[in-house]
Amino acid sequence: MGWIVAVIAVAAAVAAAARAQSAARSEYLALTRAELAERQSKAAEARTAALTDEIRQLARKRIPAVALALSHPTARVPGLREAADVDGDAARLLTEAVQAARTAVVEERGRVDAAARAAMRGTSAKIQSLLNQSQQLLHELQHEYDDPRILQLDFRNELALRRTQSTAVLCDAWPGLARRNSPLVEIVLGAQSRVAGYERIKVANHLRDERLALVARAAEPLAIALAELLANATAYSHPDTDVQVTVQQSGGRGAFLVVDDAGIGMDDDALDRARALLAGPSEVLLTELGDPPQTGFAVVGRLVVQYGFSCHIEASPFGGMRTILRVPAHLLTVLEDDRTLSALAPKPVQAQATSSASAPAGPEPAPAPRPAGGHPAELPSRRRRAPRPTPARPAPAAVTPDREKVSRTPEEAGASWAALQQGTLNGRSTAGRPTAPAPDDPATQDDQSDRNDRNDRGDDET
């Protein structure tokens, strides 16, 4: 009987031990689950915090940096700060968000720029039409009224017209002026007349063929491009310095227009930017040209792409910058012999050298005969400070000596024609007199330069 009780007691003890072990194991499992849940909760909180920080950085730094990098390629765009705490899907979605924001900004910038170009293109066309009408009216007024302010208005109208043309070209519009085949040197003079500092521009003609010309479709675009380069050279150089323009012809490679200034030059970043614009990039946004916009090189680059020119800029031996505008051979032609060149166009340097070298070989001209009174019996004419001998004539007559053909501005040319007209009128008014006025008469002693100073308004009184 006792052993039964012992067995029962042992069995009860074993059961109690099993229950205790099971309870302990359950408690351990519960603790383990609690710790695991706590760790998972902490990890989830960390991932949530990291994702929140990445989203915050995306909104505050990454997307603005992407927008800035579109205008400034050197700007740095930050990446994920804590990539280890963000799982693969979240990191991929964040990267896609950055790319989507960039695409949206690019498309919106393109739409805004296209709208701005369209508005400026339409406005430029209307303004250009009005300026052309004003120019025609001013030319008519110059022949009716003797007022130097008309010439000043005409010149300022020309400056406004050039800026309007440049704006139109930058907005992908037609230059707005059609020409026929034009001599290359006349195109250079036309570009010079559109620049505020035109009197500082010195043109050297080194063409082998004086009648080398540009085809009609490229004449006005080349004038616009060269005017922009000249305006840039005069604006960024000292007013007391000259801007040298050299026109050269190079075998089958076409012609070159070289512009040298003694200005302030460019640093490396500005030079790289200028070369990129002159190369004619596929897209130049108006917002990328600065405030106020600096459109000169962008306009030249646009014309380079459209008409096949090429332009290069480098440091000049004069201390400033040198720009080389190349005209390809297929845009060049030669004018017919019956086409008269402008009197203002500079002669080729070789022709001038040949003319000056052969001039002393001629016979020395004899002085004109004088009557007994000691004064020449001829009509009053303009005199120079350094008198030149005149060839002998059988009868007294007005002699018109050959003048050196030098490059003159439009104002100087107008003044010369006005002085010639005044001399003719004075000669007609005194044609009935027996002898010419006395030498001390101011009407006969004024030299050519004084006449030009008094008649710089273009047309004389009639």
Side-chain angles (χ1 to χ4, degrees), residues 71-105:
S71 301
H72 301 79
T74 58
R76 178 179 174 273
V77 179
L80 296 174
R81 294 192 310 160
E82 300 177 4
D85 293 335
V86 179
D87 57 17
D89 291 339
R92 179 176 53 81
L93 291 175
L94 289 173
T95 304
E96 290 180 357
V98 173
Q99 295 298 330
R102 183 183 185 279
T103 302
V105 171

Side-chain angles (χ1 to χ4, degrees), residues 408-445:
R408 295 178 295 177
T409 63
E411 288 76 8
E412 292 174 348
S416 300
W417 283 110
L420 179 60
Q421 182 182 12
Q422 181 63 37
T424 304
L425 293 176
N426 291 340
R428 291 173 179 173
S429 63
T430 59
R433 299 181 184 178
T435 59
D440 57 349
D441 191 342
T444 61
Q445 290 184 345

Side-chain angles (χ1 to χ4, degrees), residues 171-195:
C171 296
D172 301 323
W174 180 58
L177 183 63
R179 290 195 184 198
R180 56 179 180 174
N181 295 348
S182 302
L184 191 56
V185 290
E186 291 186 5
I187 292 177
V188 174
L189 294 179
Q192 177 184 0
S193 67
R194 305 180 186 186
V195 180

Side-chain angles (χ1 to χ4, degrees), residues 47-92:
R47 287 194 301 270
T48 302
L51 183 59
T52 302
D53 292 340
E54 292 298 340
I55 294 174
R56 185 181 297 111
Q57 184 188 18
L58 176 70
R60 296 180 179 179
K61 295 183 179 180
R62 296 184 68 185
I63 291 180
V66 166
L68 180 63
L70 295 176
S71 301
H72 301 79
T74 58
R76 178 179 174 273
V77 179
L80 296 174
R81 294 192 310 160
E82 300 177 4
D85 293 335
V86 179
D87 57 17
D89 291 339
R92 179 176 53 81

